[in-house]
């Protein structure tokens, strides 16, 4: 779906179906199809009359699966047992996932579905069940599929072992640290996948101060989240005089777009842009009904913040999970605060006159501020101290613009000290934060932190009199 299309029920269905296969159904479908093909192929192989296959069939027939009825009963029992155990186990595991999601965030469910090991195991269990049913279906009065049944028994034994492994894997994946670490890693990968787009676009308009500038607004005709930007489509439609034209995008990957929202401006020093270029820009902005971590690193930052907020706030009062979220956000800020080496463009690919306002570095900083608000609301002095220390530690590594933003954030956050109990842990956190800020050249903000700390200590001393 793109910004040029009107919303439709069919579009929503195809978008959801594509998302389902992308996030979860793709791998299980391949594995299930492989089991179905294997079941049919084994039945054909056993009836092919190949001497080596016949010899192996006779050998197995002499030891096990002596007659057709016995084989049928064994397969029926095996299929019933496997399906029953699998359904019960899956139900219990899904309840565990739901419980963990209610304790932290619904992002737990997203991570559970996205993990390849879970997709492989679910596909294996369903495929194994279908294989057993196919083998059961080809049994006839004159045909005893001993090779298929023997292979099915091997698969069944592996499946029972996988059930035990699945219980451990699922419960391990529900740990907050594992979930946050997985989102953190996928967020970094999403940012790397974003670099080719950044390499082909500019950060600031070139024609902003040009007189007699023709500007054509581009407005959305659909709704959804920006999931990708097709720069190749834009490049193919650009006119010959593209040096005197630029496309200023008003949205980013992950931005929500409603009907008739301004999504871009086409600026030209000559005549206004042609209508076909407006349509191209709309088609190039791909929309999705939900955000996706494939390219949307901001979505990963938001997921970590949501888990941290739920854990820190009075909804859960879980400072350990909150600290893990704060540490993850601090690492993302550290990873993106230095200039990133943009992807090398292939030969023949040139930068485009497209302006993309990238703001990814700001997002972890804003998320830390939000977690400080949650810490004040729930009176969690540990989490409050972690946030102040995280910002102070990163202060010296931030560019000038973000330093000024972090100073303003610290001043706002420190107002919450009047609602916090000045424990020894929080007192030490403020002390170390002031030292780090001063060492990084932020003497003024360091002095503010010291004054707030001393005011709180003086209040404690006054109450002790």
């Amino acid at each position: 779906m793109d910004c040029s299309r009107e919303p439709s029920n069919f579009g929503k269905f195809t978008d959801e179906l594509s998302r389902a296969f992308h996030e979860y159904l793709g791998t299980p479908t391949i594995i299930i199809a492989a089991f179905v093909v294997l079941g049919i192929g084994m039945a054909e192989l056993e009836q092919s009359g190949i001497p080596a296959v016949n010899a192996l069939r006779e050998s197995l027939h002499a030891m096990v699966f002596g007659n057709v009825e016995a084989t049928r009963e064994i397969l029926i029992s095996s299929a019933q047992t496997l399906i029953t155990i699998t359904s019960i186990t899956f139900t219990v595991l899904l309840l565990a996932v739901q419980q963990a999601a209610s304790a932290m965030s619904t992002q737990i469910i997203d991570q559970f579905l996205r993990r390849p090991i879970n997709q492989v195991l679910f596909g294996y269990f369903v495929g194994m069940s279908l294989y057993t049913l196919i083998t059961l279906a080809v049994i006839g009065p004159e045909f005893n599929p001993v090779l298929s049944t023997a292979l099915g028994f091997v698969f069944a034994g592996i499946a029972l072992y996988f059930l035990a492994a699945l219980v451990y894997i699922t419960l391990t994946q529900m740990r907050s640290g594992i979930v946050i670490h997985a989102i953190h890693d996928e967020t970094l990968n999403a940012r790397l996948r974003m670099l080719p787009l950044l390499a082909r676009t500019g950060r600031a308009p070139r024609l902003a101060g040009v007189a007699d500038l023709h500007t054509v607004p581009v407005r959305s005709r659909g709704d959804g989240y920006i999931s990708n930007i097709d720069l190749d489509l834009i490049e193919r439609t650009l006119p010959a005089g593209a040096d005197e034209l630029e496309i200023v995008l008003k949205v980013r990957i992950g931005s929500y777009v409603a009907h008739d929202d301004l999504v871009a401006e086409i600026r030209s020093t000559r005549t206004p842009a042609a209508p076909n270029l407006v349509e191209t820009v709309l088609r190039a902005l791909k929309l999705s009904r939900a955000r996706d971590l494939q390219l949307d690193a901001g979505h990963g930052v938001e997921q970590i913040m949501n888990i941290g907020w739920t854990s820190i706030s009075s909804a859960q009062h879980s400072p350990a999970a909150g600290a893990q979220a704060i540490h993850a956000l601090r690492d993302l800020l550290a990873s993106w605060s230095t200039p990133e080496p943009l992807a090398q463009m292939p030969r023949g690919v040139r930068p485009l006159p497209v302006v993309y306002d990238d703001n990814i570095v700001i997002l972890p900083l804003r998320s830390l501020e939000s977690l400080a608000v949650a810490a004040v609301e729930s009176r969690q002095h540990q989490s409050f101290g972690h946030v102040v220390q995280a910002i102070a530690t990163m202060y010296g590594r931030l560019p000038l613009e973000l330093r000024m933003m972090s100073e303003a954030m610290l001043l706002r956050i420190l107002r919450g000290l009047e609602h916090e109990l000045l424990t020894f842990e929080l007192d030490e956190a403020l002390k170390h934060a002031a030292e780090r800020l001063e060492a990084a050249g932020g003497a003024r903000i360091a002095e503010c932190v010291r004054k707030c700390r001393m005011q709180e200590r003086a209040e404690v001393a006054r109450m002790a009199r």
Side-chain angles (χ1 to χ4, degrees):
M1 182 178 180
D2 56 57
C3 282
S4 66
R5 299 179 184 174
E6 298 289 347
S8 65
N9 290 331
F10 181 75
K12 294 178 182 179
F13 172 76
T14 55
D15 185 66
E16 290 295 332
L17 187 63
S18 174
R19 179 180 175 84
F21 272 88
H22 172 68
E23 286 189 344
Y24 175 71
L25 286 179
T27 300
T29 300
I30 294 173
I31 296 175
I32 292 169
F35 269 106
V36 171
V37 172
L38 179 62
I40 298 173
M42 286 297 297
E44 293 291 332
L45 181 64
E46 289 197 67
Q47 300 180 73
S48 64
I50 299 175
V53 175
N54 289 338
L56 184 57
R57 278 175 44 82
E58 293 298 328
S59 176
L60 283 175
H61 190 274
M63 293 184 293
V64 292
F65 316 125
N67 58 72
V68 173
E69 290 303 321
T71 303
R72 179 182 285 111
E73 292 298 325
I74 291 172
L75 284 173
I76 292 175
S77 300
S78 175
Q80 290 177 343
T81 302
L82 185 61
I83 292 174
T84 301
I85 294 177
T86 301
S87 61
I88 293 174
T89 304
F90 283 1
T91 301
V92 173
L93 292 180
L94 290 177
L95 287 174
V97 173
Q98 185 180 13
Q99 183 67 24
S102 63
M104 284 184 283
S105 170
T106 55
Q107 312 304 332
I108 297 287
I109 299 176
D110 291 344
Q111 289 300 308
F112 183 77
L113 293 176
R114 287 177 178 271
R115 289 182 183 273
I117 184 63
N118 297 337
Q119 298 172 9
V120 170
L121 291 178
F122 287 154
Y124 181 88
F125 288 121
V126 176
M128 169 59 200
S129 300
L130 286 176
Y131 175 88
T132 304
L133 294 176
I134 291 173
T135 305
L136 185 61
V138 300
I139 292 180
E142 303 298 329
F143 177 59
N144 187 3
V146 292
L147 289 181
S148 299
T149 305
L151 186 60
F153 262 69
V154 174
F155 288 148
I158 296 174
L160 292 175
Y161 177 80
F162 279 168
L163 279 176
L166 182 61
V167 172
Y168 171 78
I169 291 171
T170 302
L171 295 180
T172 299
Q173 292 173 2
M174 296 306 102
R175 298 171 181 172
S176 59
I178 299 295
V179 174
I180 292 173
H181 184 72
I183 298 175
H184 166 272
D185 291 349
E186 187 58 29
T187 301
L188 291 176
N189 291 334
R191 181 60 177 176
L192 292 177
R193 290 189 287 266
M194 183 71 179
L195 294 183
L197 185 147
L198 298 177
R200 299 181 65 186
T201 58
R203 305 284 78 80
R206 295 179 293 105
L207 306 178
V210 178
D212 299 327
L213 190 65
H214 299 280
T215 301
V216 176
V218 181
R219 296 188 176 275
S220 171
R221 300 181 194 137
D223 68 291
Y225 295 92
I226 302 294
S227 61
N228 200 355
I229 301 173
D230 190 349
L231 294 180
D232 293 332
L233 179 62
I234 294 176
E235 183 176 23
R236 291 194 297 269
T237 315
L238 285 175
D243 291 339
E244 300 183 17
L245 174 147
E246 68 179 1
I247 302 169
V248 181
L249 298 177
K250 300 297 184 179
V251 292
R252 308 180 183 93
I253 299 292
S255 297
Y256 177 75
V257 173
H259 179 73
D260 205 37
D261 277 359
L262 180 66
V263 295
E265 285 183 353
I266 303 177
R267 301 174 179 178
S268 175
T269 58
R270 295 183 179 178
T271 58
N276 68 321
L277 185 56
V278 173
E279 295 297 323
T280 297
V281 173
L282 288 174
R283 290 197 304 272
L285 297 176
K286 305 302 180 181
L287 292 180
S288 175
R289 294 296 172 186
R291 299 180 70 177
D292 187 2
L293 254 178
Q294 184 69 19
L295 287 175
D296 189 0
H299 185 39
V301 175
E302 186 174 305
Q303 287 184 342
I304 296 174
M305 191 275 291
N306 286 338
I307 294 176
W309 179 280
T310 305
S311 303
I312 291 174
S313 69
S314 54
Q316 293 296 330
H317 287 295
S318 178
Q324 292 166 343
I326 293 169
H327 297 331
L329 290 172
R330 175 187 155 193
D331 184 74
L332 292 177
L333 184 60
S335 301
W336 298 335
S337 59
T338 54
E340 299 164 294
L342 297 181
Q344 295 294 324
M345 288 185 290
R347 183 173 299 177
V349 178
R350 60 187 179 88
L352 299 177
V354 177
V355 179
Y356 181 88
D357 183 17
D358 182 46
N359 74 330
I360 192 66
V361 186
I362 301 175
L363 299 183
L365 198 58
R366 290 178 176 174
S367 297
L368 287 172
E369 184 181 28
S370 297
L371 295 186
V373 175
V376 172
E377 180 268 339
S378 61
R379 302 293 182 88
Q380 284 197 24
H381 62 275
Q382 309 101 316
S383 301
F384 189 90
H386 286 318
V387 171
V388 173
Q389 282 192 305
I391 298 177
T393 301
M394 290 303 306
Y395 179 82
R397 299 161 62 178
L398 298 176
L400 180 60
E401 181 182 357
L402 290 185
R403 280 194 183 193
M404 297 173 62
M405 182 179 296
S406 64
E407 289 181 3
M409 284 184 178
L410 279 173
L411 291 176
R412 290 192 294 265
I413 290 172
L414 290 173
R415 294 184 60 186
L417 274 176
E418 61 184 77
H419 303 291
E420 295 287 351
L421 179 64
L422 189 67
T423 62
F424 177 81
E425 184 177 351
L426 180 56
D427 186 56
E428 287 295 304
L430 294 172
K431 175 185 175 183
H432 294 154
E435 292 173 352
R436 290 168 182 167
L437 288 168
E438 187 171 32
R444 186 180 67 86
I445 189 64
E447 185 60 27
C448 292
V449 174
R450 287 196 181 95
K451 285 182 179 179
C452 292
R453 174 175 175 249
M454 296 310 297
Q455 287 175 1
E456 291 299 312
R457 297 189 76 180
E459 181 65 21
V460 172
R462 186 188 63 80
M463 294 175 61
R465 293 195 187 100

